[in-house]
Every structure is written in structure tokens, then in C-alpha cells.
Amino acid sequence: MGRASGKVAVITGGARGMGAAFARRLVEEGASVVLTDVLSDEGLATAEALGDHAHFIAHDVTQADQWAKVVEVAERRFGPISVLVNNAGIAAYGPIEDTSEVEFRRIVDINMVSIFLGTKAVIPSMRRAGGGAIINISSAAGIVGLPQMLGYVGTKFAVRGMTKSAALELAPLNIRVNSIHPGTIDTPMSQLSGDPELTAAVNSVTPAGRVGQPDEIASVVVLLASDECAFATGAEFVIDGGLTCH
């Protein structure tokens, strides 16, 4: 039996990058997974490659009615949800003075409001499952500040706080809530591939001397989803190669 055997997981932003790595590892460990994303072609391809224990649904995480549909599809196909990985997110760069209100509100909606909507949507299903694990993907930027990333840093700090608040409220329901704080990971969002100068710059400020890989974060997702981590809730797991030790 795998470490996630019998679990039913929903992973947002599951089409590629870290989300796809999470889905692959959870399926390998015995879970059934519903991947959601706005990238339909990539999401369908990822789910197809994972086989019968994976299903893709197009999903805008900022829309409450679409969250209801995700829960409905997951339960109909695999059963009550026992794992939610709130992974969908965007990064935005630029000076505060040059950032429009529309741009700022968009990052808040995708990175922060979606956590509220997803958590709220899965609680009844997790009750039916007898409990569950909610895993919120924050960032090393939810631990320390960065210049010219006000919206991103602000929302990732918010995810950290929301995680702790939800953990306190949901503990009596046997629902654990934890946050993961990756450093720079080699994914399409990091834009490192094909840019040796940027990669070298990131490596130079990371004590481990390199960027992380999606599978290294996926290992922690599997741990938090499994019953091995049954006593962990409200915690933050920093996987950043030592970046926030400075």
C-alpha cells in the first residue's frame, strides 16, 4: 500500500510545474487525484498520462460556483475529498507606483481569495471523509519580504496566516491545515529554464547553491497528505535551500 492509499485529492494549478509533480507523486502513492487549472490542454495531457486515478477539470479558482463543481466531480468520480492542495498562484513583479489596482486585485484573488474559497468548499466533503488534510502552497516570500513584489509577498504572508487560523478552527473536525514555503523552484512560473544568468543569480543567493526541483516539494506534499503527519497542523514547512536563513 502507498502512503496516500485511498486518499482523494484535489490539486489546483495541477496542469504543470509543481502541481503536476504533486499529482504524479500522489497517484504513485495510491491516491486518486482531481487536477484543476485554467490551462486545459496541459491539464488534460497531465491527467491522461497519470491514468485512471487522475481526472482533469477546467477551473478558475477565484469563482465559488466553480469550486462547487470541482467538489461535485471529485465526489462523483472518486468519493469524498480527503486532501486539498491549494497550489494555484501567480507572481507579479514591478514597483508599487507602477502597479495598477486591477493588477493588485488579480493577484489577491488568485493567491489569497482562492484559499478561502477552496477551504470553504471542501469542508463538507472532508466531514464525509472523516477528516482530511489541506495543504496551502505559500512561498519563501511568505517568510521574508522581497522588493517590487508587494502583491505576491503580501498574499503569500496572508496564506501563512490563513493556514494557522483555519488549522485552529478545523482541528475538531480532524482536518489538518499546513503551509509549504518553497524557495525558487525550476518551474515555468520561475522562468529559469533557458536563462543561465538568472539561474546563476538565484544560485548565488541560495546557501544550497542551486534551485529546487518540483519533486522535492512533492515529497513534502505526500508527507502532509499521509497519515504519517497526523499530528502536524498549523505548521509551516520551509523548503528553500536555506534562502530564508540569512
Side-chain angles (χ1 to χ4, degrees):
M1 293 179 62
R3 299 164 72 194
S5 182
K7 306 287 187 186
V8 176
V10 170
I11 303 171
T12 66
R16 63 182 188 177
M18 288 198 299
F22 302 161
R24 180 177 56 79
R25 287 290 299 279
L26 284 169
V27 168
E28 289 174 352
E29 293 289 346
S32 298
V33 174
V34 173
L35 301 81
T36 87
D37 210 304
V38 294
L39 302 173
S40 294
D41 291 344
E42 290 172 271
L44 286 167
T46 298
E48 183 177 357
L50 293 175
D52 292 340
H53 288 282
H55 180 73
F56 173 76
I57 180 171
H59 175 211
D60 179 346
V61 294
T62 69
Q63 301 301 311
D65 59 338
Q66 293 191 29
W67 271 106
K69 180 67 174 177
V70 168
V71 172
E72 176 192 340
V73 169
E75 288 203 327
R76 184 174 68 246
R77 192 170 184 93
F78 298 125
I81 297 165
S82 46
V83 178
L84 168 64
V85 186
N86 282 310
N87 171 66
I90 60 171
Y93 308 89
I96 297 168
E97 289 181 296
D98 295 340
T99 303
S100 71
E101 181 180 348
V102 170
E103 292 170 326
F104 186 82
R105 288 185 182 276
R106 179 170 180 263
I107 197 168
V108 169
D109 281 346
I110 293 173
N111 290 9
M112 179 181 167
V113 176
S114 70
I115 304 288
F116 158 68
L117 294 176
T119 300
K120 182 177 180 179
V122 302
I123 290 172
S125 191
M126 287 190 172
R127 284 181 186 268
R128 291 188 282 275
I134 297 174
I135 304 165
N136 295 326
I137 307 303
S138 179
S139 170
I143 304 292
V144 297
L146 296 170
Q148 298 198 28
M149 295 188 74
L150 181 70
Y152 185 76
V153 171
T155 55
K156 292 304 184 178
F157 263 82
V159 170
R160 181 182 172 194
M162 293 167 71
T163 296
K164 295 182 183 299
S165 182
L168 291 170
E169 182 174 341
L170 300 179
L173 302 180
N174 193 32
I175 297 174
R176 299 178 288 109
V177 191
N178 294 287
S179 59
I180 297 178
H181 299 257
T184 305
I185 308 298
D186 188 9
T187 67
M189 191 170 88
S190 72
Q191 300 177 356
L192 290 173
S193 296
D195 192 332
E197 290 186 8
L198 179 57
T199 300
V202 172
N203 292 349
S204 70
V205 298
T206 304
R210 64 175 180 85
V211 299
Q213 297 300 316
D215 265 351
E216 294 177 294
I217 311 303
S219 294
V220 183
V221 168
V222 169
L223 173 65
L224 292 175
S226 76
D227 296 337
E228 298 169 26
C229 223
F231 200 51
T233 195
E236 53 209 38
F237 292 77
V238 182
I239 308 107
D240 68 351
L243 184 66
T244 55
C245 291
H246 289 296

